Amino acid sequence: MAPPRPMSFARLMNTRPVAVALYLAIMGVIVWGSYVGAQNMGYNWQWYQVPKYLFTFTEDGFQFGEIMVGLKTSVVLSVSAFVLAVVIGLVVALLRLSGLVVGSAVAVGFLELIRNIPLLVLLYLFYYVLGPIFGLDRWAASILTLAVFHGALVSEIFRAAINAVPQGQWEAAASIGMSRAQAYRWIILPQSVRFMLPPLTGEMVHLIKSSAIVSVIAVAELTTVGRNIISETFMSFEIWFTVAAVYLVVTLILSIGVSRLEKRFATNQ
Amino acid sequence: MPGEIIIQADHIDKFFGTFKALDDVSLTVRQGERVVVCGPSGSGKSTLIRCFNGLENHDAGRLTVEGVELHEGSPKIRELRQNVGMVFQQFNLFPHLTVLENLTIGPMKVRKLSRRAAEETARKYLDRVHIPEQADKKPGQLSGGQQQRVAIARSLCMEPRVMLFDEPTSALDPEMIGEVLDVMVELAQSGMTMVVVTHEMGFARKVADTMVFMEQGRIVETSPPETFFTNPESARARLFLDQILEH
Ligand SMILES: Nc1ncnc2c1ncn2[C@@H]1O[C@H](COP(=O)(O)OP(=O)(O)OP(=O)(O)O)[C@@H](O)[C@H]1O
Ligand SMILES: [Mg+2]
């Protein structure tokens, strides 16, 4: 048997135990650093107070705490806005690809408008300007703002995915007598799904994160709940850490779920 | 040839920008006739047959297919395409559908046939192209020759009156060319009207009623194969034949 070769430095660093140990060490230094920093400014840690904001066990049984209720609101808000964003995105993308001068002018106008207004200003526009005119409440204004803003981004994802289907597919569909709409429905869109899935997940994650902005008009979602708890308890470090961790967990679960889905899609092709 | 006229092109021109891809082209194709189009690369062969089913629009002259006069935005174009089959160099099968679904989607969505009727037709034509056993595979799992035969069957499922072929064997490995040409010969023998762009001169000799030679967007020569292969009128066609028959 040949003598084992000495491991190179990079190989050594990449073996699993070393990598895990290194990772834990780095995270440890960061946590310890913030702990010591907080200690030095005389911060009074009260982590034991945090769990009750996540869930409680009382004589009534298991109950979700305020943070989890806030999370639920965030999720409902994000999912509603995302569904609407996908519809807006598809319509805008099809308008842009329609070959009609008016269609693409409307689409490009919409895109440029949305892309060049900060999200926060867009929210104020919907809530303080369009709100009174069209009778939109906080909730409706929030969903519309997020849907319109992300709809513009989603439309670019759709456009790229549709354009990624080879021209020959259009020609083959046309040559058996399909209309443009039939070609989209049966030939082009089904093939573009696998080009849009990864960027659409990214956009959903992006939307969940930007949904925090509606806390400025006091919609009772995760971020607002966090702020309210802090204003009562002054535990800003614990609560902001917790809120950040909750966002992180949700978006990670989403990413992992979709990467599974993608693998299934890839093998189905 | 006494057959009814299927395609009638009168002095058609086609421009891509300022480039003249078709220059005063006239051609008549009658029912049951087999026309083989050849000529050097870039001479406008693809452009010509793509005009015949409206994938390209000509800019001048008159083009009538199956009694329908074609022009940009012609409302009858979709109806017409159901009667004009097209086979592409790159097959252009629908990769997300099975072979059977590739064949049934046109009849079901365009002709509004029931699934049962469409599948029955599809299996008939899969038999015709000698691959009945591949019905449930995806196109990606087939060889090039098999894919092109599926593409031919897909067109036939629409029961077209004329079939257009744009270099159907150029993208194939040499050992697969024969199986596709065999299917095309059988189709010709069944009486199908065909316009075939190809450099397979053996095939042309076997089935062509009319040879068309193009160069620089013009039809330089239209003659029966006996004349074309033994004693072409134009020096250009003679030179072209010498070049491709050398191999
Ligand atoms: N969509 C297009 N835009 C611009 N020019 C084009 C387009 N399609 C074809 N052409 C040009 O028109 C000319 C004729 O093209 P065409 O594809 O009809 O030739 P061909 O005879 O089929 O050649 P090949 O044997 O290479 O397929 C070529 O010079 C080509 O570059
Ligand atoms: Mg060509």
Side-chain angles (χ1 to χ4, degrees):
Chain A
M1 216 168 68
R5 270 187 300 159
M7 242 190 248
S8 75
F9 179 70
R11 288 261 307 271
L12 179 72
M13 295 299 281
N14 278 333
T15 57
R16 184 168 289 202
V18 175
V20 169
L22 211 60
Y23 180 77
L24 288 178
I26 292 170
M27 294 320 277
V29 167
I30 291 173
V31 170
W32 178 76
S34 13
Y35 181 77
V36 168
Q39 209 70 8
N40 286 345
M41 59 183 271
Y43 189 82
N44 175 24
W45 291 98
Q46 305 175 56
W47 276 110
Y48 66 93
Q49 295 260 31
V50 171
K52 73 164 181 274
Y53 293 110
L54 295 173
F55 42 77
T56 50
F57 291 99
T58 59
E59 48 271 27
D60 303 339
F62 178 85
Q63 271 179 326
F64 281 119
E66 281 174 61
I67 286 184
M68 293 318 255
V69 174
L71 171 64
K72 189 184 146 213
T73 309
S74 282
V75 169
V76 173
L77 176 70
S78 302
V79 170
S80 318
F82 191 69
V83 170
L84 198 54
V86 165
V87 174
I88 293 173
L90 190 61
V91 170
V92 173
L94 292 183
L95 270 181
R96 185 133 187 224
L97 294 168
S98 65
L100 300 174
V101 178
V102 182
S104 55
V106 168
V108 171
F110 170 76
L111 286 179
E112 288 305 321
L113 189 70
I114 297 304
R115 253 202 302 236
N116 292 298
I117 299 178
L119 180 57
L120 183 58
V121 174
L122 198 64
L123 179 66
Y124 286 153
L125 272 175
F126 267 96
Y127 186 54
Y128 293 112
V129 180
L130 300 180
I133 298 177
F134 296 104
L136 304 174
D137 59 8
R138 297 168 200 285
W139 184 250
S142 302
I143 290 183
L144 283 177
T145 303
L146 292 170
V148 164
F149 185 79
H150 289 275
L153 303 171
V154 167
S155 83
E156 290 292 275
I157 292 174
F158 281 152
R159 195 167 71 99
I162 288 168
N163 281 336
V165 177
Q167 186 63 24
Q169 294 291 308
W170 283 104
E171 295 183 352
S175 76
I176 54 173
M178 283 193 177
S179 65
R180 229 181 136 73
Q182 286 173 325
Y184 265 123
R185 169 67 187 83
W186 302 107
I187 308 301
I188 305 300
L189 288 179
Q191 289 185 64
S192 43
V193 167
R194 79 193 153 108
F195 298 116
M196 42 180 93
L197 220 46
L200 271 186
T201 323
E203 203 49 43
M204 178 74 204
V205 168
H206 185 188
L207 194 155
I208 291 174
K209 291 185 297 174
S210 54
S211 75
I213 205 166
V214 306
S215 62
V216 301
I217 57 169
V219 172
E221 46 67 73
L222 185 51
T223 304
T224 308
V225 167
R227 217 165 46 183
N228 290 347
I229 297 172
I230 291 163
S231 68
E232 286 161 19
T233 63
F234 304 105
M235 300 192 294
S236 46
F237 284 25
E238 296 88 334
I239 296 299
W240 284 136
F241 272 131
T242 308
V243 167
V246 171
Y247 276 115
L248 188 70
V249 167
V250 170
T251 53
L252 275 182
I253 289 174
L254 191 67
S255 303
I256 292 169
V258 171
S259 80
R260 292 250 166 96
L261 203 71
E262 257 167 53
K263 277 199 194 111
R264 273 247 287 283
F265 244 95
T267 52
N268 267 351
Q269 271 293 321
Chain B
M1 212 162 304
E4 147 198 12
I5 292 180
I6 304 266
I7 298 172
Q8 175 83 56
D10 284 324
H11 306 289
I12 61 174
D13 291 344
K14 167 72 189 173
F15 288 89
F16 290 112
T18 57
F19 177 78
K20 201 168 194 177
L22 291 181
D23 185 358
D24 194 26
V25 169
S26 297
L27 182 68
T28 307
V29 180
R30 291 171 183 274
Q31 166 94 55
E33 187 177 0
R34 267 83 61 170
V35 178
V36 169
V37 182
C38 60
S41 180
S43 57
K45 308 177 297 290
S46 299
T47 307
L48 179 63
I49 70 164
R50 286 162 60 84
C51 283
F52 292 165
N53 73 345
L55 285 179
E56 304 286 358
N57 294 297
H58 59 288
D59 299 304
R62 266 174 69 111
L63 175 60
T64 311
V65 180
E66 285 269 300
V68 177
E69 186 173 346
L70 294 186
H71 51 84
E72 183 144 19
S74 176
K76 291 205 166 157
I77 188 78
R78 283 184 51 207
E79 222 172 296
L80 176 84
R81 281 174 179 159
Q82 299 176 31
N83 297 322
V84 181
M86 176 105 172
V87 173
F88 302 89
Q89 183 174 349
Q90 301 295 340
F91 329 139
N92 295 351
L93 291 175
F94 306 130
H96 60 303
L97 302 177
T98 64
V99 166
L100 194 67
E101 289 165 340
N102 264 274
L103 304 201
T104 55
I105 190 136
M108 282 171 62
K109 301 303 168 196
V110 178
R111 285 215 196 276
K112 312 289 182 201
L113 252 57
S114 72
R115 176 179 296 277
R116 261 192 59 202
E119 285 187 357
E120 203 171 303
T121 317
R123 292 197 189 275
K124 179 176 94 187
Y125 285 113
L126 273 185
D127 266 347
R128 278 265 195 102
V129 300
H130 314 301
I131 35 176
E133 72 286 357
Q134 311 286 4
D136 299 317
K137 290 200 183 154
K138 290 278 175 77
Q141 297 168 282
L142 305 184
S143 73
Q146 290 172 328
Q147 290 191 47
Q148 192 59 297
R149 286 185 281 152
V150 172
I152 293 173
R154 176 176 67 185
S155 282
L156 291 175
C157 280
M158 296 300 288
E159 313 274 8
R161 304 237 300 148
V162 49
M163 287 279 288
L164 310 173
F165 294 82
D166 189 1
E167 305 205 33
T169 57
S170 305
L172 296 176
D173 292 337
E175 71 272 19
M176 293 172 185
I177 293 177
E179 65 193 49
V180 172
L181 291 180
D182 286 347
V183 164
M184 291 170 61
V185 170
E186 287 162 21
L187 191 61
Q189 284 162 352
S190 77
M192 177 63 79
T193 311
M194 296 163 72
V195 181
V196 184
V197 175
T198 186
H199 290 159
E200 295 293 333
M201 289 303 137
F203 168 81
R205 275 180 213 271
K206 208 179 286 179
V207 308
D209 299 306
T210 307
M211 294 298 301
V212 170
F213 177 73
M214 292 186 71
E215 190 174 53
Q216 293 180 352
R218 294 170 187 266
I219 292 187
V220 177
E221 176 160 353
T222 308
S223 51
E226 309 84 67
T227 322
F228 185 77
F229 287 112
T230 52
N231 191 19
E233 290 162 26
S234 60
R236 301 295 315 169
R238 192 181 312 240
L239 194 64
F240 176 78
L241 279 175
D242 285 348
Q243 278 170 354
I244 65 167
L245 293 179
E246 252 169 38
H247 308 292

